[in-house]
Amino acid sequence: MDINFLVEQVKKNLQVKGYGIQENIQYGDFKYLMIGHLSKFEFSKFGISDYFFTAGYLKDATVANIKAFSNQSFG
C-alpha cells in the first residue's frame, strides 16, 4: 500500500468528521505530515472538547524517538 494513498484516506476520514487539517508543518525536531483539530460541544462533558490528530515520519523509529514525537505532539 502506498503511504500517500494511506495519508489521503486518513485526511478524508478526518475531514468528514469535521477536523480542520494542516499539512507539512515543521515544529521543533519533527515535520508533521498532517495535524488535525476538532473542537466541539459535548453535552455529556458539559463543555467544549478539543481533539487532535498528528501524523509524521520518523527516520529512526526507536522507542526514544517515538516518545519524543509523542511528547512534542502533545506540546
Side-chain angles (χ1 to χ4, degrees):
M1 179 178 285
D2 180 34
I3 188 70
N4 294 324
F5 175 78
L6 180 62
V7 169
E8 284 302 312
Q9 290 301 310
V10 170
K11 179 181 170 184
K12 287 178 187 177
N13 287 337
L14 290 172
Q15 287 174 324
V16 165
K17 294 178 181 183
Y19 279 76
I21 304 292
Q22 294 182 21
E23 297 180 84
N24 299 315
I25 304 296
Q26 182 69 42
Y27 177 69
D29 297 332
F30 299 101
K31 181 175 182 181
Y32 293 87
L33 292 173
M34 182 183 343
I35 297 174
H37 175 246
L38 173 66
S39 184
K40 66 180 183 176
F41 178 80
E42 293 194 34
F43 185 73
S44 63
K45 296 178 183 175
F46 300 104
I48 295 176
S49 296
D50 286 308
Y51 298 90
F52 293 91
F53 175 87
T54 60
Y57 286 118
L58 293 176
K59 291 179 184 177
D60 188 19
T62 64
V63 172
N65 284 345
I66 294 169
K67 284 182 180 180
F69 180 86
S70 178
N71 287 336
Q72 188 166 299
S73 294
F74 279 102

